[in-house]
Amino acid sequence: MAYQSIFRDDLFAGQAMIVTGGGSGIGRCTAHELSRLGATVALVGRKAQKLEAVAAEITEDGGRATAHACDIREEEAVRATIAAILKAHGRIDGLVNNAGGQFQAPLEAISHKGWETVVRTNLTGGFLMARECYTQWMREHGGAIVNIVADMWNGMPGMGHSGAARAGMSNLTMTAAFEWAHAGVRVNAVAPGWIATPLTQPLQDDAARAAPILARTPMGRWGTPEDVAGPVLFLASAAARFVTGVVLPVDGGYLIA
């Protein structure tokens, strides 16, 4: 069954959009919705098999998508991937910087290697993707970048490496929004709260750990990838043409509680 959207069908018609981490969860959902709204989607991630599976889903639904295996932590790989996307699609109208990863551990137990791995994935990789999209295309043609960060304003106990990286990405969003505005490039971010994805499935299945999360969430439920994709698409679209440098929480009220 084709993906359904609340937005008008041709909102992104004729546009080429990159989604990193497009093989599952929020990235997969966002890619499907972008395709449903007329965009050609370039899926980027480390695991080619996952990307190709999502590209096949999109093709089956009548859309167009390409898969580009890339370790976004590696500068030359990112540079080559953006060049390949431009060769395949001829343009880059938007980037959804969604790729990320982390593991649970108290600060005292995080090794230097573990710290660097998470920071390079959640901060450095997003920077490299944004910079290459800007220098290879958007500097001359404009565009929109939406970074996926996290609900990290009160710290992230148990995942301090990810919290630090996400806070850095939030700050980078504002800096890039300022520096690239003259070129017609808007840069915003979405900060998801507790979202039901394969990554959080073990937590959802643990009633003792899940109960406090739901109790603190005023809307009383887990978010879904669709809950995040909608705000991402708004920020990437012309509806947000005068919005830049914003970090939008999408967390069912968790932050204010």
Side-chain angles (χ1 to χ4, degrees):
M1 187 168 122
Y3 192 91
Q4 300 298 307
S5 176
I6 65 168
F7 297 99
R8 63 177 170 82
D9 289 348
D10 60 349
L11 184 62
F12 291 94
Q15 297 188 33
M17 306 290 288
I18 299 174
V19 180
T20 69
S24 63
I26 293 169
R28 173 176 173 265
C29 180
T30 301
H32 269 282
E33 185 149 7
L34 283 166
S35 172
R36 177 69 179 81
L37 302 177
T40 297
V41 182
L43 301 161
V44 175
R46 284 193 298 162
K47 297 182 179 180
Q49 187 174 4
K50 283 188 173 183
L51 301 175
E52 289 164 359
V54 175
E57 293 171 359
I58 289 173
T59 300
E60 186 177 350
D61 284 345
R64 184 186 174 207
T66 54
H68 305 266
C70 173
D71 185 342
I72 64 169
R73 300 170 297 184
E74 300 297 332
E75 185 172 30
E76 289 306 317
V78 171
R79 184 174 288 124
T81 297
I82 298 304
I85 291 170
L86 280 170
K87 183 176 181 179
H89 302 299
R91 60 191 297 151
I92 297 172
D93 297 280
L95 164 67
V96 179
N97 246 334
N98 169 71
Q102 55 271 315
F103 57 89
Q104 287 196 322
L107 290 173
E108 65 196 59
I110 300 175
S111 67
H112 180 264
K113 180 180 179 181
W115 177 274
E116 287 289 339
T117 298
V118 171
V119 171
R120 288 181 66 210
T121 300
N122 293 351
L123 176 58
T124 305
F127 160 70
L128 292 173
M129 287 294 301
R131 187 197 67 188
E132 288 304 310
C133 283
Y134 179 76
T135 58
Q136 293 194 42
W137 181 262
M138 292 183 180
R139 181 165 53 193
E140 301 298 327
H141 306 278
I145 297 171
V146 182
N147 299 317
I148 308 299
V149 291
D151 203 342
M152 43 59 197
W153 286 273
N154 295 318
M156 287 186 73
M159 289 193 290
H161 41 18
S162 184
R166 306 294 191 172
M169 200 66 183
S170 175
N171 192 275
L172 178 65
T173 296
M174 292 182 282
T175 299
F178 180 87
E179 292 190 4
W180 297 347
H182 70 91
V185 178
R186 296 183 300 101
V187 187
N188 293 290
V190 167
W194 293 102
I195 308 300
T197 68
L199 189 66
T200 61
Q201 192 63 53
L203 189 56
Q204 297 170 60
D205 294 339
D206 187 336
R209 296 168 65 200
I213 292 171
L214 295 177
R216 187 181 158 181
T217 303
M219 295 189 74
R221 65 172 177 86
W222 291 84
T224 68
E226 290 83 0
D227 291 329
V228 181
V232 169
L233 266 64
F234 161 69
L235 290 172
S237 77
R241 60 187 174 273
F242 201 56
V243 179
T244 197
V246 167
V247 181
L248 175 64
V250 180
D251 62 2
Y254 189 87
L255 176 62
I256 59 173

